[in-house]
Amino acid sequence: MSFILCLETSSKNCSVAIAKNGQVYNVKEELDDNYSHGQKLHVLIADLLLESNLSIDEVDAFCFSEGPGSYTGLRIGAAAVKGFAFVLKKPIITVSTLESMAKGYIMSVYSEVKSELYKHNHFCSVLDSRQGEVYAAIYNSNYTPLLLPSPCEINNLTSVILELLEKQKSNASDLENPYSIEIFGPGSYKLSDVFFTEHLDNDGEPFSDYIKFPDQKNIMPSAAYLCSFAQYKFTNNEFVDSAYFEPTYLKNFLPTRPKSSR
């Protein structure tokens, strides 16, 4: 039996979870527009361990959502797992934030649906970034990346999605089930208006027929989505060097003034 403490601090959602043999044993999270992870992360961890009737010494490993995402949030989460790992001499596991979002979305939406109904779909997880940009990745139903986690300008990401849709459509005669690209995540709002108002396929049909922005489009990164990844990597000894690993920022940090001081 293994217990893994999972931390997700890449977005406004400060989230912690206990994975027990790859399943979500317990989870606590708090969504805050002010990104107050520095004040809340260790409080949530203490409450989580108490509710789970575990001590920190009983945790076998620490799993960290490595980004991309909020620079400050990632630094806070990375510092926490490094500190725990150093003191307790336990390993660290890292998981791509965008990949865990994709799996979390698929499992939450299609958990009781036969995979044949979505096996031709693609899944685009999107996090907000600077003006006119997002962090994005695209996966098929087997979680194979079609676009690796990247910082993307909206126009460039739009072009990638349109190319994938044209490829899907060209193979449509071989498909028994509908196909689409499902776009979700806290950055998806930057894409929704673009596709519904501007783009037609090569036959003059609206791409909105093939692009979905589901009700779960505001799905947030969550530590709960890390649990199955954490167990797999723990079993296969896929650990990172606690002294040298860094979050996956993908872009250089640009300091900004807090809104209250503007």
Side-chain angles (χ1 to χ4, degrees), residues 32 83 108 194:
D32 189 342
S108 63
V194 173

Side-chain angles (χ1 to χ4, degrees), residues 239-257:
F239 307 129
V240 298
D241 190 319
S242 61
Y244 297 105
F245 94 87
E246 291 289 336
T248 303
Y249 298 118
L250 293 183
K251 293 195 295 189
N252 294 329
F253 173 62
L254 290 179
T256 58
R257 293 172 58 190

Side-chain angles (χ1 to χ4, degrees), residues 37-178:
H37 300 345
Q39 291 77 37
K40 296 181 177 179
L41 178 60
H42 289 278
V43 175
L44 287 176
I45 292 172
D47 291 345
L48 177 74
L49 291 170
L50 182 64
E51 289 184 9
S52 304
N53 197 28
L54 289 172
S55 71
I56 193 69
D57 295 328
E58 295 177 279
V59 172
D60 297 295
F62 300 94
C63 180
F64 175 58
S65 179
E66 66 180 358
S70 162
Y71 184 93
T72 302
L74 291 172
R75 295 293 289 179
I76 291 170
V81 295
K82 285 186 176 187
F84 288 137
F86 176 78
V87 172
L88 299 171
K89 303 294 187 291
K90 301 291 178 67
I92 294 176
I93 298 160
T94 59
V95 176
S96 164
T97 302
L98 291 168
E99 184 177 5
S100 69
M101 282 177 62
K103 186 169 186 178
Y105 171 81
I106 293 172
M107 295 306 295
S108 63
V109 175
Y110 294 104
S111 59
E112 298 181 359
V113 179
K114 292 182 179 180
S115 61
E116 287 77 9
L117 297 180
Y118 67 90
K119 67 180 180 181
H120 299 300
N121 291 7
H122 297 333
F123 301 90
C124 180
S125 47
V126 187
L127 292 171
D128 209 346
S129 183
R130 301 169 191 160
Q131 185 175 2
E133 294 182 338
V134 292
Y135 297 112
I138 302 176
Y139 301 90
N140 65 17
S141 59
N142 294 320
Y143 311 115
T144 301
L146 307 175
L147 172 67
L148 291 171
S150 309
C152 301
E153 294 184 354
I154 298 301
N155 289 338
N156 292 340
L157 179 58
T158 299
S159 297
V160 171
I161 292 173
L162 296 179
E163 289 176 5
L164 285 172
L165 281 171
E166 286 291 359
K167 289 180 180 178
Q168 284 181 305
K169 186 175 181 180
S170 67
N171 296 326
S173 59
D174 300 327
L175 305 181
E176 296 179 358
N177 297 296

